[in-house]
Amino acid sequence: LFAAEPQALLSLAQRTPRRGQGVKMADLKAGLVANDKLASMAVSKERAGLTSAQAAQKMEEFGPNEIPAVETPIWKIILSQFVGAMPIMLEISCIISALAGDWPDFFVILAMVVVNALLGFREEMKAKNALLELTNQMESTITCVRDGTPNTIGVTQLVPGDVIHLRGGSLTPADVEWMEGDVLSIDTAALTGEPLPRKYPSDEYGKLILSGTTVKQGEAYCIIRATGINTEIGAGQADIMADRATASVSVFEQKVMMVVNIVISIAVLDAILIVVVQGLLRGGWDTNFKGTLLTALSILIGAVPIALPLVLQVTMAIGAYRMATKHHAIVTRMSALQDIASMDVLCSDKTGTLTTARMSINLDMIWAAKDDVIDLIDPYAYRSQDRVAYQKQLLLVMGIMGSNADKKDDAIDGAVLRAFDLMKKEQGDAPATMKEGYKQLDLTGFNPEVKRTVATVQRLYDSKKLIVAKGLASKILDTSSGGQDSGALQWKCEECETEGFAEMVNKKDAELSAAGYKTLAVAVGIEGEKMHFLGLLPMIDPPRFDTAITVQRLMEAGVEVKMITGDHLNIAIETARLVGMATNILPGEMTREGGHTGDEIIKESGGFAQVLPRDKRECVLALQRSYNLVVGMTGDGVNDAPALSAAQCGIAVEDATDAAKNAAAMILTTEGLSAVFGAVVESRKIFARLFSYVSYRLAATIQILLYLSILIYAFDCSLDPLYVILLALFNDVTMIPVAEDNQLAAAEPQHAELGHLIGFSMTLGIFQSVASLVFYLSMDMGLVKGIESHLDAGWPKSVHAQNAIWLQVSIAAEFLIFSARAPGLFFFSMPSHELLISTMLGNVISTLLAIYAFDDPLDWDEAITIWIFDIAALFAVDIAKMAYKYINSADAAGIIDEDEIAREDQQLGEKPHNEGEPVAPKDHAGSIRKQRESVKLIGQMKNRGASVKSQRGASMKFLTHGQQRQTSIRSRSAVIGNKTHTRAAGPSQKFGDLRKRTPGSVIYQK
């Protein structure tokens, strides 16, 4: 069949609906049904597999079952390091130095070129090695039928049409179609996020099993339909490889380099103009050709922030170490350290990230159907003083009798077993005593056709045998519901004869389902007699104990949190409600609308459910391309990997699959989202350090360019290039400890806005230049010895004067970091000891050089005078900085109070030992207490924030922090289809709260 109709099969099985094509989920299902019909024409022929010749032909046509590597030659990587604005400027400076015969400067600049190239080459090779690791992830073997004989071959050798044998524990190596054998239980959690395994083949899911899933139970022969990048997961991995093919550059770094390029362009024009002025107008070509070239060289060198890449690398390396040790986050892409500080939206997976990834029965919400049934099953029921509690105990005990006690890892039976253990812990000996009155004789396991388990149970007090069934509610009420099945026992519960009973059960089942719960129905009957419906056991994957408060903290830090999950829509909505996220969760197929409408839906929704891997990636890309947002993505499964790779801040949570870790920029080593918030705080402090250094470096560059240019144009005084090189090196090397500087985390996403960066740097640079110009004009007034009045001897140009100019600029530039780094007045913000020592040591060395090393040196009196002048200038420049902030950014948000968060975490306490266990009905249960306290803290945070605001004066806050307002929280409401959805105000009063939270009016009080 495959040989006859290969294109038909490929068009149906290989292709996934893509964005912009308007393909609906119904079309995809219709294609799968058509595929099943087509495949049934010649199953026996396909069962024999391919011949070696056919396999070789397919290999030529489709290629190996792997992701093709994107190879970049080493020599190209090396050469690329010498291309770009900064390298080219340094290379031009080398050439000018050589032409002028200034060999000391030539070798110093050449060393700078080589060091920068080595740093860039290192980053490129890290990206290349990550790519090689990604391409090796599919290496494994599998049994394949070739030439009619089963053989073990590498999965990379599989081609469409091969027949393979899958069994329990096997990882599906390609997109395959079930042919014959057992009904397979397939764990699709890594692909869809669903905690419950799917059954293949089935009417609901068909026969097509996607690559990346795991076989939980059963053995079967399957035929390969798509391999490599033609699979759903393979296409996503190809996208990941494209993302990882080159070294990543953060948004912040891109904007910084844009500003650097602007400054360098201005410097080039300035150098050309200086050559024209000095060479032509002042006769420099004839009298001093070398001096003219060196004057232009000094301008070019002064424009290049030579150590900028080095300082950025050191700062991020130290930041990465802090992330790993303090916040349990391992950084795999350094750019993420900057990008996460700018993160506007966090798209979070649900299962395993927001939730515990373990199904749990809500003991509070167990629904017992009729009171009189328990007297028929348990003759001791009349002794109970609390009939409702007794009904729930009996219902759960019968659920235990219909479960396999050895299957604690099973999603359903494990949930029932854990629920019973917790009920015993919370309710004393009564449940255990009740269970001792029954003994399971045999059990027929779950079958996807009959959708129930059936057990024979002996009632010990009279040795009567009971039939206990648990499963889908409609099948437990009436086994003929949906059509006669192949179950050995068929029945219709006696209560169904009561008018309206079945409708009542179905209504309750629908209500629980709408609230996000999966239900287990339980029925019991004496063998040979009618069955009786006992009730429903509601199950849900509960949120982690700290998810709610972490989500709230992220929102208060200006980060919008969206849920993107492969799980069912109603479950996603209920989980969002429980953790305080936006509840306007939409079906995943709406991400495929395409165009502006589709992007608008993605932006305004609270998230999406039942998504495919490409849908998650499209959500990330839409937010990036249409709204220019910095997007974060958390996840743990194969289905999350394409989106993790596309996001600027891809975060793989603890116990993530290898595919997710390879795609992510950051890997968490602790559970849940709390580490993400810690990473946000730390990254914003890293951003503050980088911004302070970059703004300082740009200001120093502007000062050098502006001041030196004024000296040349107005006073015909040029500084020796060696002075400029030493100035750049000293100021950059001493700034390396900025990576350890004390900084505060801003309460809003930190974006490197070009206008603000340029404006802030120009303010500092211009006022620094004014201060230096004042010093130059005052040199002949006694500030520097041996300088005659400019009225008699002209403006100072001597070597002694150049020493004084160099020392003044060098010390002033060192002091400038104290103003650049402080959000308010510099003396309110204490720098780190390392930065303070390094800066002052640099000033001492500069002073010693000016006094003892240079020709025509300064004396100590002159050096002390220059120190005093620069300290006074620092105060003046700092006042100018505050004036700029007041005019342009006085409405900036406040800071994140880490001390307050630490107190809240201490009050919240440690993670409860029974997190993920069923929820007990009593308030003193450990997990309930922890989860309730986490939500109470949200209200307390707001109260404390209001009192703090009333206690602190706005003007003092501006002087100390440079900021006057609290974080502005963007609206989480969205209008979709003329219906307004808003963030849930609290738990549903209709069903109660899974975690016994306080009322929503307390949680989200204004």
Side-chain angles (χ1 to χ4, degrees):
L1 174 63
F2 191 85
E5 297 291 340
Q7 297 305 318
L9 286 173
L10 285 173
S11 65
L12 292 169
Q14 286 186 341
R15 296 177 184 174
T16 302
R18 294 185 181 272
R19 182 176 177 81
Q21 294 180 339
V23 181
K24 306 295 185 182
M25 183 62 73
D27 300 326
L28 179 60
K29 291 183 177 179
L32 295 178
V33 171
N35 182 34
D36 289 343
K37 292 180 179 179
L38 189 62
S40 64
M41 296 178 184
V43 171
S44 59
K45 182 178 179 180
E46 289 188 320
R47 172 66 178 78
L50 300 176
T51 64
S52 297
Q54 289 174 324
Q57 182 182 356
K58 297 293 183 185
M59 182 65 72
E60 288 291 329
E61 182 178 356
F62 296 104
N65 182 32
E66 63 183 3
I67 307 167
V70 181
E71 289 290 341
T72 302
I74 297 294
W75 64 269
K76 281 189 176 182
I77 297 176
I78 295 175
L79 288 181
S80 67
Q81 308 310 314
F82 296 93
V83 178
M86 285 177 56
I88 289 176
M89 284 296 293
L90 292 175
E91 290 156 12
I92 293 174
S93 299
C94 274
I95 295 173
I96 294 176
S97 298
L99 291 176
D102 188 359
W103 298 111
D105 289 347
F106 170 82
F107 287 111
V108 171
I109 299 171
L110 182 63
M112 298 176 186
V113 174
V114 173
V115 169
N116 281 330
L118 290 175
L119 288 173
F121 179 72
R122 174 177 173 269
E123 289 302 305
E124 292 286 350
M125 290 307 297
K126 284 174 62 178
K128 186 179 179 68
N129 293 334
L131 187 64
L132 291 174
E133 182 179 350
L134 182 63
T135 57
N136 292 332
Q137 70 176 16
M138 295 180 64
E139 290 300 322
S140 58
T141 59
I142 198 166
T143 301
C144 175
V145 179
R146 289 270 177 94
D147 299 316
T149 303
N151 296 290
T152 300
I153 65 172
V155 295
T156 58
Q157 302 302 311
L158 295 175
V159 295
D162 268 329
V163 174
I164 62 173
H165 180 256
L166 292 179
R167 60 183 179 181
S170 298
L171 182 69
T172 311
D175 288 355
V176 303
E177 185 179 352
W178 184 93
M179 295 184 67
E180 65 177 50
D182 301 335
V183 173
L184 298 178
S185 176
I186 303 294
D187 181 1
T188 64
L191 186 63
T192 66
E194 292 184 57
L196 298 179
R198 291 180 175 184
K199 302 296 181 181
Y200 291 88
S202 64
D203 294 336
E204 184 176 3
Y205 301 115
K207 297 180 179 180
L208 190 65
I209 307 171
L210 296 182
S211 174
T213 57
T214 304
V215 181
K216 297 284 287 184
Q217 293 179 348
E219 298 184 12
Y221 286 93
C222 302
I223 185 169
I224 304 289
R225 293 303 188 196
T227 58
I229 61 172
N230 294 317
T231 64
E232 178 63 32
I233 291 298
Q237 296 290 356
D239 292 334
I240 295 171
M241 291 188 63
D243 294 337
R244 286 297 187 97
T246 57
S248 60
V249 180
S250 71
V251 175
F252 176 77
E253 194 169 345
Q254 291 173 14
K255 293 185 177 181
V256 168
M257 295 312 300
M258 189 180 301
V259 176
V260 169
N261 291 339
I262 293 173
V263 173
I264 288 177
S265 300
I266 294 173
V268 170
L269 295 176
D270 190 25
I272 294 173
L273 185 59
I274 285 174
V275 169
V276 172
V277 171
Q278 294 289 89
L280 297 181
L281 299 183
R282 295 175 176 171
W285 289 122
D286 300 327
T287 60
N288 190 6
F289 174 77
K290 178 179 178 180
T292 301
L293 287 181
L294 292 180
T295 300
L297 175 63
S298 66
I299 294 296
L300 294 179
I301 296 173
V304 180
I306 300 167
L308 180 64
L310 176 62
V311 175
L312 290 178
Q313 289 293 326
V314 172
T315 302
M316 290 190 291
I318 294 176
Y321 174 77
R322 288 185 173 179
M323 283 281 199
T325 55
K326 292 180 61 178
H327 302 289
H328 310 286
I330 299 173
V331 177
T332 61
R333 273 189 279 179
M334 285 296 184
S335 61
L337 286 172
Q338 301 163 45
D339 287 334
I340 198 170
S342 307
M343 185 170 63
D344 300 297
V345 181
L346 177 64
C347 298
S348 177
D349 183 41
K350 179 186 72 70
T351 307
T353 306
L354 299 174
T355 65
T356 62
R358 297 181 74 188
M359 294 301 292
S360 177
I361 293 176
N362 187 348
L363 301 184
D364 267 351
M365 295 176 64
I366 292 177
W367 184 72
K370 293 185 70 175
D371 179 81
D372 55 353
V373 175
I374 63 173
D375 295 312
L376 299 174
I377 306 302
D378 191 339
Y380 300 112
Y382 70 92
R383 300 178 181 176
S384 174
Q385 297 179 354
D386 187 345
R387 294 278 291 184
V388 174
Y390 200 86
Q391 275 184 287
K392 292 184 177 182
Q393 291 172 0
L394 180 63
L395 178 55
L396 190 55
V397 167
M398 290 300 105
I400 286 288
M401 291 296 105
S403 303
N404 188 336
D406 295 327
K407 294 174 66 177
K408 294 183 178 180
D409 293 332
D410 183 78
I412 300 299
D413 286 359
V416 175
L417 293 168
R418 291 192 298 272
F420 184 72
D421 289 340
L422 188 60
M423 179 178 277
K424 289 190 298 182
K425 178 180 177 182
E426 297 298 330
Q427 300 183 23
D429 297 333
T433 302
M434 183 185 296
K435 179 177 178 291
E436 290 172 358
Y438 303 91
K439 179 182 178 182
Q440 186 186 86
L441 300 179
D442 61 65
L443 174 68
T444 302
F446 183 84
N447 183 294
E449 180 188 358
V450 301
K451 295 181 173 60
R452 59 186 179 272
T453 64
V454 178
T456 302
V457 177
Q458 186 178 45
R459 192 167 59 187
L460 298 181
Y461 93 98
D462 61 2
S463 298
K464 281 191 175 182
K465 291 183 179 180
L466 305 179
I467 303 299
V468 179
K470 80 175 195 305
L472 188 68
S474 59
K475 281 291 189 180
I476 296 299
L477 278 170
D478 184 355
T479 57
S480 65
S481 175
Q484 195 74 23
D485 57 44
S486 60
L489 292 177
Q490 302 289 323
W491 66 81
K492 184 175 184 180
C493 288
E494 182 176 310
E495 289 75 18
C496 291
E497 299 174 3
T498 302
E499 184 177 356
F501 180 83
E503 289 76 9
M504 177 184 69
V505 173
N506 290 331
K507 181 181 178 181
K508 187 63 179 179
D509 185 53
E511 288 178 351
L512 289 169
S513 178
Y517 290 87
K518 299 177 185 291
T519 58
L520 270 181
V522 180
V524 183
I526 297 175
E527 189 176 38
E529 299 181 13
K530 289 190 174 182
M531 296 287 286
H532 298 276
F533 189 86
L534 288 184
L536 300 173
L537 298 174
M539 301 186 301
I540 197 170
D541 181 12
R544 297 184 184 277
F545 85 107
D546 60 347
T547 296
I549 194 169
T550 303
V551 168
Q552 182 70 15
R553 285 174 176 173
L554 286 168
M555 288 181 175
E556 292 192 348
V559 180
E560 185 177 357
V561 185
K562 294 179 182 288
M563 183 190 301
I564 314 291
T565 179
D567 213 342
H568 292 291
L569 178 62
N570 53 356
I571 295 175
I573 292 174
E574 173 67 3
T575 302
R577 182 186 66 82
L578 291 173
V579 300
M581 293 172 61
T583 56
N584 55 321
I585 311 292
L586 303 177
E589 62 185 23
M590 295 188 70
T591 63
R592 306 169 203 146
E593 291 293 328
H596 178 72
T597 301
D599 292 348
E600 188 70 16
I601 289 174
I602 291 172
K603 172 65 169 62
E604 297 298 334
S605 70
F608 294 91
Q610 296 170 275
V611 297
L612 297 173
R614 281 195 170 273
D615 299 334
K616 294 191 175 189
R617 184 179 175 90
E618 282 301 328
C619 288
V620 172
L621 294 177
L623 294 171
Q624 291 172 337
R625 65 170 174 254
S626 297
Y627 301 99
N628 199 30
L629 297 174
V630 178
V631 183
M633 175 73 195
T634 69
D636 60 352
V638 177
N639 59 324
D640 301 317
L644 290 172
S645 177
Q648 292 102 325
C649 316
I651 305 169
V653 300
E654 188 187 39
D655 296 329
T657 61
D658 289 340
K661 290 179 180 178
N662 287 332
M666 186 179 296
I667 302 171
L668 304 184
T669 58
T670 190
E671 299 174 338
L673 281 181
S674 58
V676 176
F677 178 73
V680 168
V681 172
E682 185 64 34
S683 67
R684 290 184 185 179
K685 291 196 287 186
I686 293 171
F687 182 92
R689 296 182 187 109
L690 291 174
F691 186 86
S692 65
Y693 168 72
V694 171
S695 59
Y696 154 79
R697 193 61 187 88
L698 290 176
T701 300
I702 291 171
Q703 177 192 9
I704 293 172
L705 284 179
L706 185 59
Y707 183 40
L708 293 186
S709 297
I710 292 175
L711 289 181
I712 293 170
Y713 294 134
F715 306 107
D716 193 19
C717 175
S718 58
L719 208 61
D720 190 286
L722 181 60
Y723 283 121
V724 181
I725 292 175
L726 289 176
L727 190 65
L729 285 178
F730 265 106
N731 291 344
D732 279 333
V733 171
T734 56
M735 290 304 115
I736 291 178
V738 78
E740 297 277 3
D741 193 22
N742 301 324
Q743 285 290 353
L744 301 173
E748 281 186 342
Q750 297 296 286
H751 296 282
E753 299 177 0
L754 280 179
H756 176 57
L757 181 61
I758 293 174
F760 185 70
S761 300
M762 286 186 65
T763 299
L764 296 179
I766 289 173
F767 277 90
Q768 280 280 92
S769 299
V770 170
S772 295
L773 192 59
V774 168
F775 175 81
Y776 180 79
L777 295 175
S778 304
M779 286 173 62
D780 60 352
M781 299 180 185
L783 291 182
V784 180
K785 299 175 182 179
I787 303 295
E788 298 181 9
S789 172
H790 68 275
L791 298 176
D792 300 327
W795 295 107
K797 305 176 185 177
S798 64
V799 174
H800 189 76
Q802 289 192 40
N803 285 342
I805 292 171
W806 177 82
L807 182 60
Q808 187 275 321
V809 174
S810 178
I811 294 175
E814 294 286 341
F815 282 158
L816 182 62
I817 188 62
F818 298 137
S819 179
R821 63 167 296 280
L825 292 173
F826 77 92
F827 47 81
F828 282 122
S829 178
M830 180 65 184
S832 66
H833 296 307
E834 294 85 355
L835 180 61
L836 181 61
I837 293 172
S838 176
T839 301
M840 300 311 295
L841 182 61
N843 283 336
V844 170
I845 294 175
S846 298
T847 303
L848 294 176
L849 287 175
I851 294 176
Y852 296 110
F854 294 156
D855 294 335
D856 198 358
L858 305 176
D859 60 27
W860 280 103
D861 290 339
E862 292 173 310
I864 292 173
T865 301
I866 291 174
W867 272 71
I868 294 173
F869 179 90
D870 282 342
I871 292 173
L874 174 61
F875 280 88
V877 171
D878 207 45
I879 292 172
K881 175 197 75 174
M882 295 305 295
Y884 171 84
K885 284 187 172 246
Y886 183 79
I887 295 171
N888 295 280
S889 58
D891 61 342
I895 60 172
I896 295 175
D897 192 339
E898 294 184 73
D899 293 334
E900 188 64 31
I901 289 175
R903 285 191 291 269
E904 291 165 0
D905 289 340
Q906 186 176 10
Q907 182 179 345
L908 182 62
E910 299 295 328
K911 167 187 168 183
H913 294 295
N914 59 341
E915 182 184 40
E917 297 297 318
V919 179
K922 294 189 178 181
D923 289 343
H924 63 269
S927 62
I928 297 175
R929 183 178 64 254
K930 294 297 183 185
Q931 292 158 354
R932 183 176 64 250
E933 288 173 357
S934 71
V935 181
K936 283 183 178 178
L937 279 173
I938 295 174
Q940 295 171 6
M941 287 160 56
K942 293 184 177 293
N943 287 336
R944 283 194 290 267
S947 63
V948 168
K949 283 194 293 182
S950 64
Q951 294 169 6
R952 294 182 179 177
S955 58
M956 179 55 69
K957 187 174 181 181
F958 174 67
L959 292 176
T960 56
H961 296 145
Q963 298 160 325
Q964 286 185 323
R965 67 169 172 84
Q966 294 298 308
T967 311
S968 61
I969 303 297
R970 288 179 291 179
S971 172
R972 294 323 194 266
S973 63
V975 180
I976 304 296
N978 297 324
K979 182 177 180 181
T980 301
H981 307 266
T982 58
R983 181 160 56 89
S988 168
Q989 299 302 316
K990 185 173 184 180
F991 294 109
D993 192 332
L994 179 67
R995 296 173 298 166
K996 289 284 192 180
R997 290 187 176 171
T998 52
S1001 59
V1002 176
I1003 301 172
Y1004 299 101
Q1005 53 191 312
K1006 298 294 183 183

